Amino acid sequence: MAQLLAEHLNVPPDELQAFIAFARLGSIASTEPSNEFATQAPWRAAHNRLTNLPAALTSFVGRDEELQKARDLLLQPRVRLLTLTGAPGIGKTRLALHVASDLLDTFEDGVFLVELASASDPDLLPDTIARTLGLKPEGSQSVEDLLLKHLSERRIMLVLDNFEHLLDAAAWVVKLLEGSPLLKVLATSREALHVRGERRLPVPALRIPEQGHLPAVEALALYSSVALFVQRAEAVAPDFVLTAANAAEVAAICAGLEGLPLALELAAARFNQFSPREMRASLKSRLNLLTGGERDLPLRQRTLRSAIGWSYSLLNQEEQQLLRLVGTFAGGFTAEAAAAVCGGLSSGVQDRLTALVDKNLVRREVRDGETRYGMLEVIREYALQLLVDNKEEGEVRLRHARYFLSLVELAYTNQTGPRQLSLLISLDADYGNLIAALSWLLSNDHHDPTTAEMAALMASYLFYYWDWHGYFVEGRAWIEQALALGDRVLWRSSSDDGTLTDVAARLLKIRGRLLNGAGLHSWSLGDNAGAMQFFNEALRVLTRLGNKQGMAAVLGNIAILKAEQGLYRQAVETYEQVLQIDRELGDDRIAITLNNLGVAYWNSGDVENARAMYEESLAGFRQMDDPGNMVLALDNLGIVALYHEDYDTARRYQDEALAICRTYGYKNGLAHVLENMGSRAASEGDFTSAGEYYRELLHLLQQQDYHVVVISCLEGVANLSYKLGRPLEAAGLWAAAERMREVNKHPITVLYRERHERNRDAALEQSDPEAFQSAWNEGRAMSIEEGLVYALECL
């Protein structure tokens, strides 16, 4: 074809071989005639582009920022070597080719792609470059000398693609640059070349939408990960259109694949075989789904497994082993945690982690002054499979569980005092690891007493964390699994009527904590009957053990339930019994009991005794430097001040409580504080602030399971609507709250019942009776979720 084209272009005979070499290789030959051809041949002047860059067959999506950065860097005179780094499948090659194509006019002597994936020997890098440029040494001339002579006065850019396995040749690249002042090199590599003069540009994943807060379809389509997936999906399924009906599934797919371009392209290529919902479900095993890439791609890019395997094969033995071991971590880890799971290999972990970061198989980031490491989920899945294949999983998982059990135990044993909040917050970063460890301990693969006891311990410690964050549904589900496993493996061996052994006593104590935790979560969910069953069983177990401290905790919770049911005198008597035990033991929970006793007095209508208990409780919490529990007492004192219409005092207590909640991320406390701040603002006539407090609270409640606060929140918004002259809205909200009170057996307290009935009767007088009854009926038919949405609409 080149011969025929040369004839039609009337290429002179002395330039024919150079023309054919250029046509075949996208470069110029090494003979003197070809050098003259490079500057004088008519076809060279016509298009001014010497290159072997492949033409793009698909659109380039979502890299505008990185593209601009790379262009700007390469156009700076002092930047001679730019390396694009990133994880397998992140799109380094595609970005490099697009950058190179954009700069064709800048390098008059050519832009050339040097593909290194198949090169196996760093010493042969010069030969690979020379072959790409169509250069052949003559006589005894070395390839290095030939390249230096050829590139010394030419303005050329070389794209060295997939350099990671030829890093020993990086020093020679520097030598080439030093001898060729007009040469620039754009390299792609899983890790940096680590040579003088190198500038690095990390290539991140594509932007993914935030789950749970999806924008409109038009805005969603602008996310780079979604745009890439949709374009590639349309190529295999022409009828596919991103719509409101499938937007959530598509967004979840992009998020599940973490914005990894190769993963997105491989998934989209299967789109004609799966519906969006089916594909989302299939992502539980990403590496099995992401196969079958285009046949014209290199083998290592046809499946994500091959792409990651290519990088894994370049690691030394110690790095490979560490990568397998850290696959057990979910959601990131510290170097200390990595050393803990490595066992006998703990020495040198930091250096090997740094090596994996450099090779872009592990990510490093600093959060709140702490260095943490993480992995893309597809790489983690690959590492976990290798762990299983190497028969290492069991021992590594056990070390992982022991390490995180020690962390959650430390937080649990510091429920009161100055370390409470800092330890709870420290668990946030490792919540994924805590759940991964608990899930493994509870799994059906190993029901030996050791792991069963560890599972029960971890669940019993974690209940405090779940309660803090309002994860009541999740917490109760995990606790019930731990109790069920204990029934099969642990408790029966310790349930004899004879003398308890030390082991049996230890196991029963764990069971008592689990039952108490399940009861607290059930109460928070409004399941008072279920909560009472758990509490009574916990009390039976702890009484048998003679564990007075545990008995006091459970009795306090039973008192809460009695108060919820309107049995205020019984609640007070039970709390007084708990307080007596606490004083006898000298327990640091005395302040908590005082606060709860205050709640019982308050619910019974005894305002002054309630205030006295709250004030003594707050003093105790301040003395212990226990800000988390201070929130409870501050909020309750704010309620008392509000009852007396002392708004300044109420605001002072509430502002202090709010600051603590926001500082430490105390969502459970924040829900209570916001509800009472909304009530205070509405009572003052500051309806705008009241609406803002309630709006924030409603959004928080949509993310939590705290049904008890939902009731008072709906009633608060109802009172606000009534004050604003919208009685029908108030009717619907009051009715929704009323039904929730009935279902949860949670009657309105004595102090609020009169005001509630007075406002309801006044709203009825202001309305058409039929319209009011219709709104009331609609409210009673609402679910909790519907009630929250309706309250937001009213605001």
Side-chain angles (χ1 to χ4, degrees):
M1 181 177 279
Q3 287 271 20
L4 292 171
L5 185 59
E7 293 176 11
H8 283 276
L9 291 174
N10 297 317
V11 174
D14 61 340
E15 295 179 354
L16 180 59
Q17 293 306 311
F19 178 84
I20 293 173
F22 174 73
R24 294 180 64 195
L25 299 172
S27 61
I28 55 177
S30 61
T31 60
E32 278 304 310
S34 66
N35 291 341
E36 182 180 355
F37 132 85
T39 57
Q40 297 178 3
W43 55 86
R44 167 66 171 74
H47 53 69
N48 198 35
R49 290 184 174 183
L50 288 171
T51 186
N52 68 338
L53 296 177
L57 299 179
T58 55
S59 56
F60 185 71
V61 177
R63 292 291 189 196
D64 293 343
E65 183 178 348
E66 292 80 16
L67 178 62
Q68 188 62 49
K69 284 182 180 178
R71 282 172 47 88
D72 291 345
L73 285 169
L74 287 167
L75 290 174
Q76 294 179 20
R78 289 183 296 178
V79 177
R80 306 283 312 289
L81 168 61
L82 176 64
T83 306
L84 305 181
T85 61
I90 206 73
K92 301 181 293 294
T93 297
R94 188 65 186 277
L95 176 60
L97 292 176
H98 204 77
V99 172
S101 178
D102 277 4
L103 295 176
L104 278 172
D105 291 334
T106 303
F107 297 92
E108 59 265 27
D109 294 308
V111 176
F112 300 99
L113 170 64
V114 183
E115 298 184 280
L116 302 176
S118 59
S120 57
D121 188 345
D123 293 336
L124 296 180
L125 176 61
D127 298 82
T128 305
I129 296 174
R131 186 166 61 252
T132 299
L133 296 176
L135 302 175
K136 292 183 180 180
E138 295 181 350
S140 61
Q141 185 184 31
S142 69
V143 175
E144 289 87 343
D145 289 342
L146 171 63
L147 281 172
L148 285 169
K149 179 182 178 183
H150 179 78
L151 297 173
S152 61
E153 297 181 357
R154 284 184 168 81
R155 188 177 295 280
I156 283 179
M157 183 167 75
L158 299 178
V159 181
L160 304 183
D161 191 34
N162 294 293
F163 203 95
E164 54 269 357
H165 61 304
L166 302 176
L167 292 177
D168 289 342
W172 182 83
V173 174
V174 174
K175 180 180 177 182
L176 186 64
L177 286 165
E178 290 174 338
S180 311
L182 301 180
L183 171 68
K184 295 212 176 191
V185 172
L186 174 61
T188 72
S189 179
R190 307 281 164 83
E191 64 176 304
L193 276 57
H194 296 291
V195 293
R196 289 178 294 112
E198 179 187 30
R199 290 291 296 270
R200 305 168 193 171
L201 180 61
V203 181
L206 297 176
R207 185 167 170 247
I208 59 176
E210 181 183 355
Q211 298 301 290
H213 299 281
L214 294 183
V217 173
E218 296 77 11
L220 182 65
L222 298 179
Y223 282 82
S224 52
S225 59
V226 175
L228 177 63
F229 182 83
V230 168
Q231 285 195 18
R232 301 303 188 257
E234 288 172 344
V236 297
D239 295 336
F240 170 69
V241 177
L242 182 65
T243 66
N246 60 30
E249 303 294 344
V250 171
I253 291 169
C254 294
L257 296 176
E258 300 176 282
L260 197 64
L262 178 58
L264 291 166
E265 298 218 21
L266 292 171
R270 305 284 297 277
F271 207 66
N272 58 345
Q273 304 171 32
F274 296 95
S275 69
R277 186 179 300 276
E278 291 169 337
M279 179 168 286
R280 179 182 183 181
S282 298
L283 288 180
K284 292 178 180 178
S285 180
R286 295 169 179 82
L287 293 176
N288 292 332
L289 171 69
L290 304 177
T291 61
E294 302 295 344
R295 291 191 180 92
D296 58 326
L297 291 174
L299 179 60
R300 61 189 174 79
Q301 292 182 5
R302 292 187 204 169
T303 73
L304 199 55
R305 188 185 300 276
S306 299
I308 300 170
W310 161 267
S311 288
Y312 180 78
S313 69
L314 301 177
L315 303 177
N316 64 39
Q317 187 173 352
E318 289 181 336
E319 292 165 350
Q320 288 181 345
Q321 187 170 23
L322 180 60
L323 186 69
R324 296 195 302 271
L325 297 181
V326 298
T328 54
F329 291 104
F333 55 94
T334 62
E336 176 189 333
V341 304
C342 287
L345 299 174
S346 57
S347 61
V349 164
Q350 184 67 68
D351 291 339
R352 292 196 288 276
L353 270 177
T354 300
L356 292 177
V357 170
D358 289 343
K359 294 170 172 60
N360 280 285
L361 290 168
V362 169
R363 298 179 292 193
R364 176 171 50 207
E365 61 180 345
V366 177
R367 295 184 196 169
D368 300 323
E370 180 184 56
T371 300
R372 290 186 63 83
Y373 300 85
M375 306 165 72
L376 289 170
E377 277 301 307
V378 289
I379 297 177
R380 178 173 175 262
E381 185 178 327
Y382 182 86
L384 277 175
Q385 187 58 55
L386 290 174
L387 197 68
V388 173
D389 294 344
N390 283 270
K391 296 181 171 38
E392 300 168 301
E393 185 185 24
E395 184 58 35
V396 175
R397 289 280 195 186
L398 188 57
R399 291 198 295 265
H400 176 273
R402 282 174 176 154
Y403 177 79
F404 286 104
L405 177 59
S406 69
L407 292 189
V408 74
E409 180 180 15
L410 182 63
Y412 179 82
T413 54
N414 285 272
Q415 291 181 50
T416 59
R419 300 187 66 193
Q420 175 202 48
L421 296 181
S422 62
L423 289 171
L424 276 171
I425 291 171
S426 71
L427 295 181
D428 288 344
D430 279 311
Y431 187 60
N433 285 308
L434 296 172
I435 294 303
L438 179 58
S439 179
W440 182 77
L441 291 169
L442 289 169
S443 67
N444 295 322
D445 299 338
H446 43 266
H447 282 168
D448 61 277
T450 299
T451 54
E453 183 177 350
M454 288 176 66
L457 269 174
M458 180 165 277
S460 73
Y461 294 148
L462 270 173
F463 107 80
Y464 178 53
Y465 177 86
W466 288 319
D467 184 73
W468 178 270
H469 284 285
Y471 301 160
F472 305 118
V473 171
E474 180 181 358
R476 185 171 68 174
W478 285 116
I479 289 174
E480 287 177 335
Q481 287 187 56
L483 284 167
L485 178 59
D487 285 340
R488 294 193 297 273
V489 181
L490 299 173
W491 322 134
R492 289 177 183 174
S493 63
S494 59
S495 61
D496 299 335
D497 292 331
T499 302
L500 285 171
T501 65
D502 290 343
V503 173
R506 185 182 72 239
L507 295 178
L508 284 179
K509 183 178 179 181
I510 298 170
R511 184 167 187 256
R513 279 204 305 266
L514 283 170
L515 290 164
N516 187 45
L520 276 171
H521 290 336
S522 296
W523 168 73
S524 296
L525 290 168
D527 180 8
N528 287 355
M532 187 61 82
Q533 287 182 344
F534 282 122
F535 289 146
N536 284 333
E537 179 64 13
L539 187 61
R540 187 187 69 80
V541 170
L542 294 167
T543 300
R544 183 184 175 209
L545 289 171
N547 186 326
K548 288 190 175 182
Q549 188 178 50
M551 291 165 57
V554 176
L555 282 170
N557 295 330
I558 290 174
I560 292 175
L561 278 183
K562 289 180 178 179
E564 294 284 356
Q565 295 166 1
L567 304 174
Y568 304 122
R569 190 65 253 164
Q570 292 182 31
V572 169
E573 291 172 355
T574 304
Y575 273 128
E576 288 173 343
Q577 181 184 354
V578 173
L579 186 59
Q580 183 179 350
I581 296 174
D582 287 343
R583 294 192 191 280
E584 177 186 333
L585 296 175
D587 199 325
D588 58 6
R589 292 182 58 86
I590 289 175
I592 295 176
T593 302
L594 287 167
N595 178 78
N596 292 341
L597 179 55
V599 173
Y601 279 131
W602 173 263
N603 288 336
S604 67
D606 188 345
V607 177
E608 292 312 309
N609 266 327
R611 175 162 56 187
M613 294 299 103
Y614 294 152
E615 288 174 345
E616 188 177 351
S617 171
L618 179 60
F621 291 138
R622 289 196 192 279
Q623 185 176 1
M624 291 188 293
D625 189 17
D626 186 350
N629 284 312
M630 279 168 54
V631 170
L632 304 177
L634 287 166
D635 190 48
N636 287 330
L637 283 168
I639 293 172
V640 173
L642 179 59
Y643 176 79
H644 289 297
E645 298 184 359
D646 183 356
Y647 301 126
D648 290 339
T649 300
R651 183 183 299 104
R652 187 175 72 252
Y653 285 130
Q654 290 169 349
D655 286 345
E656 184 179 357
L658 183 68
I660 295 172
C661 292
R662 294 209 190 282
T663 299
Y664 296 102
Y666 184 10
K667 293 181 181 178
N668 194 339
L670 180 61
H672 285 282
V673 174
L674 286 172
E675 193 273 321
N676 290 317
M677 292 184 84
S679 179
R680 188 253 307 155
S683 297
E684 288 185 283
D686 184 357
F687 301 139
T688 299
S689 295
E692 291 173 356
Y693 293 135
Y694 283 129
R695 190 175 293 108
E696 181 181 353
L697 173 58
L698 287 163
H699 286 302
L700 180 64
L701 292 173
Q702 286 181 321
Q703 303 166 29
Q704 287 187 294
D705 310 314
Y706 205 12
H707 296 178
V708 173
V709 180
V710 170
I711 295 172
S712 54
C713 177
L714 294 183
E715 289 173 342
V717 178
N719 288 327
L720 181 59
S721 293
Y722 162 70
K723 289 176 186 249
L724 289 169
R726 302 202 292 264
L728 297 184
E729 286 182 0
L733 292 165
W734 279 324
E738 179 185 75
R739 180 175 178 277
M740 292 178 198
R741 285 193 179 279
E742 292 171 1
V743 170
N744 297 323
K745 296 181 174 57
H746 180 64
I748 196 165
T749 60
V750 173
L751 293 172
Y752 291 128
R753 186 179 300 122
E754 181 182 350
R755 185 193 69 174
H756 172 72
E757 293 175 351
R758 183 175 63 249
N759 288 348
R760 184 188 61 191
D761 293 343
L764 175 58
E765 290 177 4
Q766 297 169 12
S767 309
D768 175 75
E770 291 186 6
F772 189 90
Q773 188 61 48
S774 176
W776 192 273
N777 293 341
E778 288 180 10
R780 284 190 60 85
M782 290 179 189
S783 65
I784 289 177
E785 292 75 16
E786 290 169 339
L788 292 172
V789 170
Y790 182 60
L792 278 168
E793 291 174 354
C794 292
L795 288 173

